[in-house]
Amino acid sequence: MTEHNLTGKVALIQGGSRGIGAAIVKRLAAQGATVAFTYVSSDAKARELQDSVIAEGGKALAIKADSADAEAILHAVSSTVETFGRIDILVNNAGVLAMAPLDEFKLEDFDRTLAVNVRSVFIATQAAARHMGEGGRVINIGSTNAERMPFAGGAPYAMSKSALVGLTKGLARDLGPKGITVNNVQPGPVDTDMNPATSDFADSLIGLMASGRYGRVEEIASFVAYLAGPEAGYITGASLTIDGGFSA
Ligand SMILES: NC(=O)c1ccc[n+]([C@@H]2O[C@H](COP(=O)([O-])OP(=O)(O)OC[C@H]3O[C@@H](n4cnc5c(N)ncnc54)[C@H](OP(=O)(O)O)[C@@H]3O)[C@@H](O)[C@H]2O)c1
């Protein structure tokens, strides 16, 4: 097999069956990493992605694990280590977007937003870091909405992504002495099931972007792959925005 810059590395991606997460799975695998990834409901898509990585000559493992459930996250980390022996790269991509007028926003949606978008990042990082050594990488997927929230109805989502800015800084301090970097990638609007580029909502966002277009999942995955690689060892504690000028 050809050597790539992530050959020999083992990555675990929380929320890898669709959208940005699936693009990250494919990109890290294409650069030589062995990839384990979680999902919560898309059994067929997860299986298809696992099989496609294996068909390309890579190693992959799809794990059903709800990021709102601490036990399920710990199981995903231990399954990865049992199957592949280690974890070098953790990507915390699983996320949910609940939107409703303030008056109608349900407390259960607020709690699930925090559980999936924030609490899962802490739980997975705490567990995975025990298996990581020098050169380890933790990459969170935040959002440009941490800094600019130009629409109503998504306050808990914006709050959850702002929380990742502080969580990333603190975890970078915790893990710096072990030679592990922790960063937060903040995409702008990217064409996925969560935020399709063809919706009426999309039209309202496109005018706010310097680039005048939605991002592609591959444009986020390539940035994540750079952060996961050996050349990015001096970047840590950073929230890095990749949003086509949404916040410019
Ligand atoms: N798209 C955007 O415009 C945009 C912009 C900024 C930030 N982001 C962030 O980027 C990340 C990915 O977004 P996306 O647009 O790719 O979303 P998506 O198309 O809805 O895909 C979400 C992925 O996360 C998984 N997931 C969701 N909830 C989960 C849970 N409780 N446990 C485990 N896995 C779970 C899903 O698994 P299943 O397939 O099993 O449901 C799926 O693989 C999120 O953190 C999102 O907030 C997105």
Side-chain angles (χ1 to χ4, degrees):
M1 199 202 243
T2 321
E3 286 276 315
H4 296 284
N5 73 341
L6 299 180
T7 298
K9 303 286 186 192
V10 175
L12 171 61
I13 295 96
Q14 278 205 85
S17 48
R18 290 183 290 121
I20 293 169
I24 294 168
V25 167
K26 287 182 207 159
R27 178 72 190 225
L28 297 185
Q31 288 185 212
T34 292
V35 285
F37 65 92
T38 68
Y39 67 100
V40 65
S41 56
S42 303
D43 295 283
K45 287 196 167 147
R47 171 61 63 89
E48 202 180 301
L49 179 58
Q50 174 191 277
D51 292 350
S52 75
V53 171
I54 293 169
E56 295 283 320
K59 288 189 197 146
L61 177 68
I63 306 165
K64 190 165 189 159
D66 184 350
S67 291
D69 175 352
E71 287 304 317
I73 297 169
L74 297 180
H75 170 73
V77 169
S78 59
S79 296
T80 304
V81 173
E82 275 160 30
T83 310
F84 299 125
R86 52 193 286 154
I87 298 179
D88 304 286
I89 301 159
L90 171 69
V91 182
N92 294 307
N93 169 76
V96 288
L97 167 63
M99 278 178 62
L102 178 61
D103 228 21
E104 294 160 26
F105 206 101
K106 294 193 183 77
L107 196 52
E108 67 201 62
D109 289 336
F110 181 98
D111 289 343
R112 188 163 176 86
T113 299
L114 270 184
V116 176
N117 294 9
V118 183
R119 186 173 175 259
S120 77
V121 174
F122 182 78
I123 296 166
T125 304
Q126 188 183 44
R130 296 186 180 117
H131 304 280
M132 282 183 178
E134 177 78 31
R137 299 278 187 266
V138 178
I139 301 160
N140 303 324
I141 306 299
S143 168
T144 192
N145 290 140
E147 291 170 9
R148 185 180 193 207
M149 189 57 183
F151 52 87
Y157 180 79
M159 173 199 61
S160 73
K161 296 304 188 179
S162 296
L164 292 182
V165 175
L167 188 57
T168 297
K169 290 182 184 192
L171 290 172
R173 293 285 177 184
D174 290 329
L175 296 174
K178 281 186 77 179
I180 299 168
T181 66
V182 186
N183 291 294
N184 180 37
V185 172
Q186 301 188 136
V190 175
D191 186 18
T192 66
D193 296 338
M194 181 188 278
N195 187 4
T198 47
S199 68
D200 292 345
F201 180 60
D203 288 342
S204 72
L205 296 182
I206 285 169
L208 301 175
M209 286 181 261
S211 60
R213 69 165 176 90
Y214 262 46
R216 293 184 293 274
V217 291
E218 294 80 8
E219 291 174 312
I220 307 303
S222 60
F223 193 50
V224 169
Y226 170 71
L227 289 174
E231 287 177 299
Y234 198 55
I235 305 172
T236 194
S239 284
L240 301 155
T241 298
I242 169 165
D243 70 353
F246 184 82
S247 52

